[in-house]
Amino acid sequence: QMCEKFTVCQNSVELLLHNNLNLPKVTEEDGDFLTFLSFQDKCLRKISSGLYTFQTYLKYVQETFISENQNVESLSYSTEHLARTLRQMVINPEEVIIPDAPTQESLYTKLKSTKDWTEKITIQLILRDFTSFMEKTVRAVRYLKNTRSFSV
């Protein structure tokens, strides 16, 4: 939809130039999914923390991408619910990093200061990285579901 509505497409060179967003990522250092068993707690902490961090980015997308406001609101709610659920599965839930209000406000202010054209690129980058993060999250949760008894 972004490509059609705003002429902002995945392969746009501009996307690469403006990707200075510090979006959460799950990397191999957080636990290789093939040897995930030994990294379960660390990976769950990282995923839950990342989901909490994405809340500020999703708020920005929701308030900026007006035509999809309701869809993004639902996505944000589901993301927060998943973050809480995964946090409860961590051995020490207090180790999950949840950005505090000043950090969230600072990030949100920085995001809102972008210009119209950059705003479209920023939304595209957030949604692209969120999709990638969620793909890895789904793989991890499926693996956990098959290797230990829990329900999400």
Side-chain angles (χ1 to χ4, degrees):
Q1 286 181 330
M2 288 292 294
C3 189
E4 292 171 12
K5 289 183 182 183
F6 303 120
T7 320
V8 176
C9 300
Q10 283 283 1
N11 297 327
S12 178
V13 175
E14 294 83 11
L15 287 176
L16 299 174
L17 296 175
H18 289 2
N19 193 0
N20 59 352
L21 295 172
N22 192 20
L23 293 162
K25 297 191 182 338
V26 176
T27 64
E28 286 188 24
E29 294 169 0
D30 301 312
D32 182 321
F33 291 110
L34 298 175
T35 59
F36 187 70
L37 194 57
S38 61
F39 296 103
Q40 286 181 10
D41 198 63
K42 179 181 178 184
C43 191
L44 285 173
R45 276 194 318 269
K46 176 73 174 198
I47 290 170
S48 185
S49 296
L51 293 170
Y52 278 113
T53 300
F54 263 112
Q55 289 300 301
T56 305
Y57 291 100
L58 292 174
K59 176 184 174 187
Y60 169 77
V61 172
Q62 180 181 349
E63 293 181 7
T64 308
F65 196 13
I66 306 294
S67 65
E68 295 298 320
N69 182 294
Q70 198 166 14
N71 288 336
V72 180
E73 182 179 7
S74 175
L75 179 66
S76 184
Y77 174 79
S78 298
T79 300
E80 184 177 0
H81 177 72
L82 181 59
R84 275 189 312 233
T85 301
L86 294 177
R87 182 175 184 247
Q88 292 170 357
M89 295 171 58
V90 173
I91 294 169
N92 293 314
E94 63 278 354
E95 291 180 357
V96 171
I97 299 167
I98 302 173
D100 60 13
T103 302
Q104 290 176 358
E105 188 58 38
S106 173
L107 172 59
Y108 186 75
T109 300
K110 178 183 172 189
L111 290 169
K112 288 302 280 184
S113 70
T114 61
K115 305 290 182 236
D116 283 346
W117 182 84
T118 308
E119 183 177 87
K120 294 168 187 163
I121 299 296
T122 300
I123 291 171
Q124 175 70 20
L125 290 170
I126 291 169
L127 294 175
R128 182 194 66 189
D129 284 13
F130 180 75
T131 299
S132 174
F133 190 90
M134 288 307 297
E135 287 170 352
K136 291 174 179 151
T137 296
V138 167
R139 286 176 56 202
V141 169
R142 279 189 184 146
Y143 184 86
L144 274 174
K145 196 171 186 177
N146 291 329
T147 59
R148 69 185 222 196
S149 59
F150 79 95
S151 60
V152 175

